[in-house]
Amino acid sequence: MATIRLGDLAPDFTADSSAGMINLYDYLGDSWGILFSHPADFTPVCTTELGAAANYKEEFDKRNVKMIALSVDSAASHAEWIKDINETQNTTVNFPIIADEDRKVSTLYDMIHPNADATLTVRSVYIIAPDKTVKLTLTYPASTGRNFDELLRVIDSLQLTEYHKVATPADWKHGEKVVVSPAISTEDAKKIFTKGVEEIKPYLRLTPQPNL
Ligand code: BEZ
């Protein structure tokens, strides 16, 4: 097991899932991906998270992001649990959940933090770009459900900053002003960002979101 850092290649794997055997790279194809772990089946916070994720599928699809979840129980257990998730969260789980009974994928992705829990995964998130590099890692404790609006917001930022020389400020949301990359002079920025550049400090320049 190695720590996975930003910019690393996401380790590939083949594993059983609620949708049968699945290979990560084949599943993702040319899409972005989001891989997220859940401590165990039939637990309350995980049930709400998977329901939230399923209800956001359209938003992930719009951004060309494929979801894949993981829990350390069997595919048969996942199938039963999915019925409960669909019933209680008013949804249809519409992405695979890896059945990681032998902890192979959890170990590969360092999702078990033994000082938190010896056998269950923490709530890890990996956002993977189409070139299979890891663009975001995030770790929440078992007791705290994740915020799926925040994950979409990060994906918006990643996809914007991949193609434009900008970064996104604190609490930025799609449609709001962005900051000009520090690598660009204000003079050059004014040529690149034709909607205007507001220089607050030489190192703090704002411009309207360029891809709108
Ligand atoms: C939950 O998903 O509710 C949960 C799982 C493990 C520990 C605590 C909460």
Side-chain angles (χ1 to χ4, degrees):
M1 171 270 299
T3 304
I4 296 173
R5 296 180 178 166
L6 302 190
D8 290 356
L9 210 53
D12 195 17
F13 59 82
T14 299
D16 199 9
S17 82
S18 57
M21 291 303 285
I22 195 161
N23 172 265
L24 180 71
Y25 281 19
D26 288 346
Y27 172 68
L28 295 181
D30 294 330
S31 301
W32 288 71
I34 179 164
L35 167 66
F36 47 102
S37 60
H38 299 272
D41 292 6
F42 300 104
T43 50
V45 177
C46 297
T47 299
T48 62
E49 284 192 318
L50 283 167
N55 284 327
Y56 274 100
K57 173 125 185 332
E58 206 177 305
E59 291 300 319
F60 284 99
D61 283 349
K62 267 192 224 163
R63 292 161 174 84
N64 191 27
V65 181
K66 287 194 174 169
M67 293 189 274
I68 182 163
L70 175 149
S71 173
V72 295
D73 292 304
S74 67
S77 168
H78 289 356
E80 288 306 308
W81 185 32
I82 285 170
K83 290 183 199 163
D84 281 6
I85 298 166
N86 291 347
E87 177 197 325
T88 62
Q89 308 305 304
N90 193 26
T91 195
T92 303
V93 171
N94 37 25
F95 50 84
I97 306 175
I98 298 161
D100 196 35
E101 277 188 292
D102 60 4
R103 277 54 171 178
K104 191 181 88 179
V105 179
S106 312
T107 304
L108 192 62
Y109 275 82
D110 195 22
M111 290 166 167
I112 294 176
H113 296 197
N115 291 327
D117 189 297
T119 55
L120 303 181
T121 59
V122 290
R123 298 186 194 282
S124 301
V125 181
Y126 294 91
I127 294 179
I128 302 167
D131 67 359
K132 308 293 181 292
T133 56
V134 173
K135 294 293 183 185
L136 169 131
T137 68
L138 180 149
T139 308
Y140 270 37
S143 52
T144 306
R146 286 156 288 196
N147 182 321
F148 284 79
D149 278 327
E150 169 61 4
L151 295 175
L152 287 171
R153 192 188 76 87
V154 175
I155 289 164
D156 284 341
S157 172
L158 286 169
Q159 294 184 341
L160 173 68
T161 59
E162 179 93 353
Y163 304 111
H164 298 272
K165 291 178 180 2
V166 296
T168 59
D171 298 331
W172 172 86
K173 287 193 221 58
H174 181 77
E176 294 178 355
K177 284 182 182 172
V178 298
V179 299
V180 174
S181 167
I184 303 177
S185 68
T186 299
E187 191 187 342
D188 286 346
K190 284 179 179 160
K191 290 179 203 145
I192 297 168
F193 302 110
T194 50
K195 292 178 193 163
V197 174
E198 185 186 338
E199 188 183 77
I200 296 164
K201 291 280 181 192
Y203 61 85
L204 175 58
R205 290 85 41 92
L206 298 179
T207 188
Q209 185 173 324
N211 63 343
L212 291 180

